[in-house]
Amino acid sequence: MANTIEEVKTTVEERNNNEKGNGYLLEVKNLKKYFPINKSVLLGAKGYVKAVDGVTFGIKRGTTMGLVGESGCGKTTIGKTILRLTDKTDGEVIFNGTSIFDLNKKNLRSIRPRIQIIFQDPYSSLSPRLPVGEIIGEAVRDNNLVPKEEFDDYITKIMLDCGLQPYHKDRYPHEFSGGQRQRICIARAIALKPDFIVCDEPVSALDVSIQAQIINLLKDLQDKYHLTYLFISHDLSVVEHISDEIGVMYLGNLVEHADKEAIFANPLHPYTKALFSAIPIPDPDVKMNRIILEGNIPSPANPPSGCKFHTRCSSCMEVCKTVVPKEIEVEKGHKVVCHLYDKGINKDK
């Protein structure tokens, strides 16, 4: 049966209070996603693009994990695979104790409202033929979340929570600015009472001032609805503002993972240090020690042997060229995949 508006307000909070577990809403274990190259029925695939190549992490309820890295490192592929918008090659995705890829179509449909995504380009992700009220409410109606007599009031409340006005219901996406369109996308996701949302570079196409408004909106909604985010971005200043934990990706692998304070205060992996050195400092008197990475990003279809980063790393050793580094927990919660820390921290390097 459909819920009343008052029940809708408390559903997420009650659900999170009642759920038991290890504190993680989402767990990703050794996730792999390979795309075949020139696949044919007779000859099969000539090779594979290893977009995601064995990634493991967990996100606690009510927190945000930022995922950063260069374009093409596999950030968006991870988000889409977690939501089962694309099939996995190997590994496991566990949402609230349930393996996403073990669900049949019926059970997957029932869990869909609880896992949502906000896309990078709000205009292309909104139907130009539907008014805003229908865009936000279409899935609410399909999932029978509120009774018909309270549907309009519920959509109005969601729009107000996202900074939209009730009279916007009858307008179409082309009548809005970029920031307003992204608010529509956020409202569409929030309306389904999700627990987990993948934010796929939701502010990268917006002006800086509008970016701040959208980030503050996401944080306010997280506090109000106890949401859990995977925030994908290449803008480290944005990630620092919204994230509780940060994962750094390079060529399909997670090379460093720690809480925000630890990773910004003490980045360990040479790639992380290079990324952080590129963050602009709003002080003309401060000299930036920019680390320039030489060479091009290797192809994910033919990655280097050993450590994938060794072809661009100034701290490269012989072992890096042949042996794949293992994940090492240098300090509690601060994990890095680098041979520099095989026998402890070498701060000089």
Side-chain angles (χ1 to χ4, degrees):
M1 292 180 61
N3 298 318
T4 65
I5 289 181
E6 289 303 318
E7 289 174 335
V8 168
K9 290 179 181 178
T10 59
T11 298
V12 173
E13 182 179 354
E14 290 176 350
R15 187 162 58 207
N16 286 321
N17 288 336
N18 292 332
E19 288 169 347
K20 304 297 182 181
N22 58 5
Y24 288 100
L25 178 67
L26 181 81
E27 294 178 271
V28 177
K29 299 181 179 180
N30 196 34
L31 184 64
K32 296 181 181 180
K33 176 58 183 177
Y34 298 168
F35 293 97
I37 301 173
N38 297 331
K39 184 176 181 179
S40 66
V41 177
L42 297 178
L43 300 178
K46 294 183 178 179
Y48 293 90
V49 174
K50 299 179 179 180
V52 180
D53 193 18
V55 171
T56 299
F57 62 85
I59 308 178
K60 294 181 180 180
R61 291 180 175 87
T63 66
T64 300
M65 177 178 170
L67 198 60
V68 300
E70 295 171 293
S71 296
C73 68
K75 304 186 299 297
T76 296
T77 303
I78 283 182
K80 290 183 177 180
T81 308
I82 286 173
L83 299 181
R84 203 168 155 179
L85 298 179
T86 182
D87 289 331
K88 67 172 183 176
T89 300
D90 195 9
E92 196 172 9
V93 177
I94 300 174
F95 173 74
N96 190 39
T98 301
S99 177
I100 293 291
F101 286 93
D102 288 343
L103 297 174
N104 57 31
K105 289 185 177 180
K106 181 179 179 180
N107 292 332
L108 180 62
R109 178 177 172 81
S110 68
I111 209 173
R112 278 291 184 202
R114 300 179 64 184
I115 51 176
Q116 293 295 305
I117 186 169
I118 301 169
F119 292 101
Q120 178 178 0
D121 184 0
Y123 189 64
S124 62
S125 63
L126 297 173
S127 172
R129 296 180 177 85
L130 295 178
V132 167
E134 185 61 24
I135 289 173
I136 297 173
E138 184 178 24
V140 175
R141 185 186 297 110
D142 289 346
N143 287 278
N144 197 31
L145 294 183
V146 294
K148 292 181 179 179
E149 62 272 16
E150 297 188 13
F151 175 81
D152 193 63
D153 290 339
Y154 177 67
I155 300 304
T156 298
K157 176 189 177 299
I158 294 297
M159 293 179 67
L160 291 173
D161 285 347
C162 295
L164 299 167
Q165 299 303 314
Y167 61 82
H168 288 152
K169 288 181 183 178
D170 298 325
R171 295 186 179 181
Y172 290 82
H174 72 271
E175 300 180 71
F176 294 88
S177 66
Q180 288 176 316
R181 289 174 192 149
Q182 198 59 284
R183 289 177 184 271
I184 296 169
C185 292
I186 294 171
R188 177 177 59 184
I190 296 298
L192 293 173
K193 305 179 299 176
D195 295 325
F196 173 70
I197 300 178
V198 173
C199 304
D200 185 13
E201 302 199 37
V203 298
S204 63
L206 307 177
D207 293 338
V208 175
S209 61
I210 306 301
Q211 286 184 10
Q213 294 178 20
I214 297 300
I215 291 299
N216 289 333
L217 172 62
L218 289 171
K219 293 183 69 176
D220 291 342
L221 291 171
Q222 183 176 42
D223 293 337
K224 185 171 185 177
Y225 292 103
H226 199 61
L227 300 170
T228 304
Y229 294 143
L230 174 63
F231 192 91
I232 298 169
S233 180
H234 58 266
D235 190 333
L236 288 166
S237 58
V238 171
V239 170
E240 182 181 15
H241 186 69
I242 194 172
S243 301
D244 297 293
E245 294 187 350
I246 294 176
V248 181
M249 283 197 68
Y250 182 78
L251 211 63
N253 294 109
L254 204 61
V255 297
E256 189 166 355
H257 183 202
D259 64 68
K260 177 179 63 178
E261 289 76 14
I263 203 167
F264 272 88
N266 184 30
L268 299 177
H269 198 280
Y271 178 64
T272 307
K273 293 178 180 178
L275 286 182
F276 283 20
S277 73
I279 301 176
I281 300 174
D283 187 344
D285 297 326
V286 176
K287 185 178 180 180
M288 297 176 60
N289 296 319
R290 178 72 187 274
I291 300 174
I292 305 297
L293 296 178
E294 298 181 357
N296 298 319
I297 303 175
S299 169
N302 186 27
S305 59
C307 174
K308 294 181 180 179
F309 186 62
H310 85 260
T311 58
R312 306 173 71 194
C313 182
S314 60
S315 302
C316 178
M317 302 176 291
E318 284 301 316
V319 67
C320 302
K321 300 177 182 179
T322 56
V323 180
V324 178
K326 297 180 180 180
E327 184 178 76
I328 300 169
E329 190 169 17
V330 176
E331 55 188 19
K332 187 177 180 180
H334 196 156
K335 300 176 182 179
V336 63
V337 181
C338 181
H339 286 300
L340 290 174
Y341 305 94
D342 285 347
K343 296 181 180 180
I345 300 177
N346 187 341
K347 293 185 177 179
D348 293 335
K349 294 187 178 181

